[in-house]
Amino acid sequence: MMKRSAVFLAFLICVCVVGLCFLPSQAHAVNVVASGTCGIDAVWSITEDGVLTISGQGKMRDYPVTDVIPWADYRDMIHAVVVEEGIIQIGARAFSHCSSLATVTLPDSLREVGRSSFEGCSSITSIVIPECVDFIHSSAFAGCSGLMSISFPAGNIYIADHCFDGCTGLTSVVLPDGLTFLSPYLFRGCTALTTVILPDSVTRIEDNAFMECSSLMEIQIPASVSTIRHSVFQDCTGLTSIFIPDSVTFLGNSVFQGCVKLETVTIGRGVPTLGAGSFRDCSSLREVVLSEGLQWVDTRVFYNCKSLTSVTFPDTVNNLEGTAFYSCPALTTVVLPASLTSLGDSVFTRCDALWHVLYKGNQAQGMNNDTLKSAIMHMECTGVEVTDPAGKFCAICNCVHSWDEGTVTTPATCLAEGVITHTCTLCGITEQRVLERS
């Protein structure tokens, strides 16, 4: 009896196993709702759970506009993209404006990320770029407002212009060793970006690269950098200090314009020209260190720098142009070098507090700027304050006092001595002297 039961139980198990083998596979798989080709040897499929899979070999097709993308009608349901091994290039605009897309898986075989391929994918929070990628095309991740982190491979990767433009959720970026330059508008408008690490391989930072990164408080520019082009840090309203290393030989126009919290600036020895509007509207700027090697200060460089109180120019400067210091109401003291040969008529216009101009040259070299007529001019001045108990020298510098003819403040009489007051034409100090009895 027990033997029959065992045989019958074994029979039932076999029947169940055989039956399972004939169940349709669709009972366990997610249904594919659409599929097609997206390259010569590349295919796509999208399942009902919103996963878009790209498989096959080689490059995906580039798409001129988003409406012609094969999966355009399913864009709103896509929440995950899986690009399988064998695909080497993601096509232009392939996944752009898939607003529900949250996760992206990229293969090790990938070499290029196409133009605007993920532009406007506002739900993506992180991206890992595979090791073999060497080219990320323009605007690839522009407008990915939810993107908070991105990981780059090491090596000489090319990251094109506008790549992360408008990624308002991005908080920190570590750029890879081997990167040689930052493209124009690379991180423009990344308003949450607080930390950027630049590798020692970077030599150029192109136009507007960090423009409007309002949370960026500081950035260390490596000694490998030689060029910082126009408006790179314009309107970085959180930036408080900047140090430009000696390696930098080009500093573009408006490079720090509108950095309203910028307080201290040090310019290295390699910069020959401060471009137009370099520090315009930096209303908190109070200290500027200019190094030997600077020759030309272009127009509007310190325009409307309301907190700037003094500036000392190195002995290499020969041109101050246009409205370089226009409307610097707190500016009281300026040290001008003997090397100065050109001073624009409106350089110090609306610098109403300007009182002392310490000029290391002499009158013969010509310092006839109309704006300076209300200031006290210290000729042949070293700009070094000296202690002079005897009162022979100017207290501002080491210039010998130049006394005017004096004004009689108390006339002398036959009975009493009088007093005459002389004023130094260099520093404004007064000195009283005795008038003999008449």
Side-chain angles (χ1 to χ4, degrees), residues 118-137:
F118 293 95
E119 182 176 1
C121 294
S122 55
S123 297
I124 295 177
T125 58
S126 64
I127 285 287
V128 176
I129 304 297
E131 290 292 327
C132 292
V133 171
D134 55 18
F135 200 147
I136 304 177
H137 288 258

Side-chain angles (χ1 to χ4, degrees), residues 362-403:
N362 56 60
Q363 189 66 49
Q365 290 175 263
M367 192 54 59
N368 300 315
N369 180 269
D370 289 340
T371 313
L372 301 182
K373 288 182 179 179
S374 61
I376 296 170
M377 186 71 72
H378 306 261
M379 297 297 176
E380 299 179 353
C381 174
T382 65
V384 179
E385 186 175 347
V386 297
T387 302
D388 176 32
K392 180 181 178 181
F393 296 100
C394 170
I396 300 296
C397 62
N398 67 348
C399 307
V400 176
H401 285 305
S402 177
W403 302 108

Side-chain angles (χ1 to χ4, degrees), residues 53-337:
T53 301
I54 309 296
S55 56
Q57 299 292 320
K59 299 179 179 180
M60 291 178 63
R61 188 175 295 118
D62 290 329
Y63 299 99
V65 293
T66 56
D67 291 343
V68 300
I69 297 171
W71 45 87
D73 292 340
Y74 305 95
R75 185 181 294 124
D76 292 342
M77 69 175 287
I78 297 172
H79 70 79
V81 166
V82 177
V83 182
E84 294 186 345
E85 288 294 332
I87 299 298
I88 63 172
Q89 179 179 322
I90 295 175
R93 298 176 182 82
F95 311 111
S96 65
H97 299 286
C98 290
S99 57
S100 299
L101 177 59
T103 61
V104 176
T105 303
L106 302 176
D108 292 338
S109 58
L110 194 65
R111 299 292 187 273
E112 294 185 28
V113 180
R115 179 184 180 90
S116 301
S117 52
F118 293 95
E119 182 176 1
C121 294
S122 55
S123 297
I124 295 177
T125 58
S126 64
I127 285 287
V128 176
I129 304 297
E131 290 292 327
C132 292
V133 171
D134 55 18
F135 200 147
I136 304 177
H137 288 258
S138 301
S139 303
F141 298 95
C144 291
S145 55
L147 185 64
M148 293 185 290
S149 66
I150 182 162
S151 175
F152 296 98
N156 187 14
I157 186 172
Y158 186 105
I159 306 174
D161 59 282
H162 296 269
C163 201
F164 301 98
D165 191 344
C167 292
T168 55
L170 194 62
T171 58
S172 64
V173 173
V174 178
L175 292 168
D177 291 333
L179 184 70
T180 57
F181 70 96
L182 274 63
S183 297
Y185 299 91
L186 186 58
F187 295 103
R188 181 183 64 169
C190 294
T191 53
L193 189 63
T194 59
T195 304
V196 176
I197 306 298
L198 303 179
D200 291 338
S201 54
V202 170
T203 61
R204 303 192 327 268
I205 305 176
E206 296 292 343
D207 298 355
N208 307 88
F210 294 100
M211 184 179 184
E212 298 171 1
C213 291
S214 54
S215 297
L216 189 63
M217 298 179 64
E218 61 180 350
I219 184 168
Q220 184 173 347
I221 298 174
S224 57
V225 174
S226 62
T227 300
I228 302 175
R229 291 192 60 80
H230 309 305
S231 301
V232 166
F233 297 100
Q234 183 173 340
D235 294 325
C236 289
T237 54
L239 199 63
T240 58
S241 65
I242 196 74
F243 177 84
I244 305 297
D246 292 343
S247 61
V248 175
T249 58
F250 182 88
L251 201 59
N253 299 338
S254 303
V255 64
F256 295 103
Q257 180 176 331
C259 295
V260 295
K261 291 185 180 178
L262 186 63
E263 295 182 0
T264 60
V265 171
T266 300
I267 307 293
R269 293 175 177 270
V271 177
T273 301
L274 293 182
S278 296
F279 299 97
R280 179 173 180 167
D281 298 325
C282 292
S283 54
S284 299
L285 185 62
R286 55 181 175 77
E287 182 181 351
V288 177
V289 178
L290 304 174
S291 300
E292 297 287 334
L294 182 65
Q295 300 173 23
W296 192 289
V297 178
D298 212 334
T299 188
R300 302 186 304 279
V301 167
F302 296 103
Y303 188 108
N304 203 32
C305 291
K306 296 184 181 297
S307 300
L308 193 62
T309 58
S310 66
V311 176
T312 299
F313 292 97
D315 292 335
T316 50
V317 170
N318 49 50
N319 285 80
L320 295 181
E321 293 297 312
T323 53
F325 289 89
Y326 185 92
S327 190
C328 293
L331 188 64
T332 60
T333 305
V334 173
V335 179
L336 301 176

